Amino acid sequence: MLSPSLEDYLEEIYRLSLIKSEIRVRDIAEKLKVSSPSVVKALRKLHNESYILYKRYEGIYLTQEGEKLGKLLVKRNSVLQEFLSVINSQCDVEAEAEAMEHYLSSPTILSIEKLVAFMKKDREILNKFLKFCGTEEKKHWSEELE
Ligand code: MN
């Protein structure tokens, strides 16, 4: 099991691998807003866990295992972003999906994925839900505490 931070690194490396033939430390540093030494540290760990091949000055390559997990992590993030959109949350969708992703179990992610697919497939149900949300008076879940 990777730590949340290493999951984010692998997720980003996978994203970069889709659009770049060569992934550089500074690409990752920029994307994750961290320092280059932090990236190098993470790359060494991912290398030791066999998710990537990394040698200083020789590039960063995903192993088969790394590609598989990276793909899954990207999918998990987009499922959660879609979920937040479907439930019409007025949150910062990107930031919130980023926060949720590491703490939900696989069965929960799978259920959320099914719910999203279901809601998107049936426009009528989605509209009913949005209408219901509109008739609910509460603007904030903790309104009763205020
Ligand atoms: Mn994350």
Side-chain angles (χ1 to χ4, degrees), residues 17 38 49-50 57 64 67 69-70 118-119 127 133 136 144:
S17 78
S38 304
E49 303 258 348
S50 307
Y57 311 116
Q64 221 174 10
E67 185 151 339
L69 183 57
F118 176 73
M119 296 287 260
N127 286 339
C133 289
E136 285 286 281
E144 276 148 36

Side-chain angles (χ1 to χ4, degrees), residues 8 98 101-102:
D8 282 339
E98 162 57 40
E101 63 189 359
H102 310 286

Side-chain angles (χ1 to χ4, degrees), residues 7-131:
E7 282 188 344
D8 282 339
Y9 278 104
L10 187 59
E11 187 183 330
E12 220 39 66
I13 292 166
Y14 181 77
R15 279 207 184 92
L16 288 166
S17 78
L18 298 177
I19 53 166
K20 292 195 144 202
S21 53
E22 224 176 292
I23 305 166
R24 295 200 172 82
V25 168
R26 68 164 177 276
D27 296 329
I28 303 168
E30 256 169 49
K31 207 68 204 283
L32 293 175
K33 298 183 181 82
V34 293
S35 69
S36 290
S38 304
V39 175
V40 170
K41 213 167 134 191
L43 292 177
R44 291 215 180 99
K45 283 186 195 153
L46 289 172
H47 176 96
N48 289 339
E49 303 258 348
S50 307
Y51 289 110
I52 62 168
L53 296 172
Y54 168 68
K55 231 178 178 181
R56 209 149 197 187
Y57 311 116
E58 283 182 27
I60 300 156
Y61 303 95
L62 284 164
T63 61
Q64 221 174 10
E65 207 184 334
E67 185 151 339
K68 215 170 117 188
L69 183 57
K71 192 175 182 175
L72 213 76
L73 295 174
V74 168
K75 191 184 168 192
R76 182 177 69 179
N77 182 271
S78 64
V79 163
L80 291 174
Q81 287 201 33
E82 278 191 276
F83 170 66
L84 293 166
S85 305
V86 160
I87 63 170
N88 197 30
S89 169
Q90 302 304 307
C91 69
D92 175 340
V93 167
E94 237 175 86
E96 191 116 334
E98 162 57 40
M100 290 165 79
E101 63 189 359
H102 310 286
Y103 303 101
L104 300 178
S105 65
S106 296
T108 301
I109 305 270
L110 182 64
S111 295
I112 288 177
E113 191 180 359
K114 285 179 185 161
L115 177 71
V116 168
F118 176 73
M119 296 287 260
K120 281 170 75 179
K121 201 175 150 194
D122 197 331
R123 204 64 229 179
E124 218 173 294
I125 286 192
L126 185 56
N127 286 339
K128 253 189 207 170
F129 173 68
L130 293 177
K131 205 170 152 196

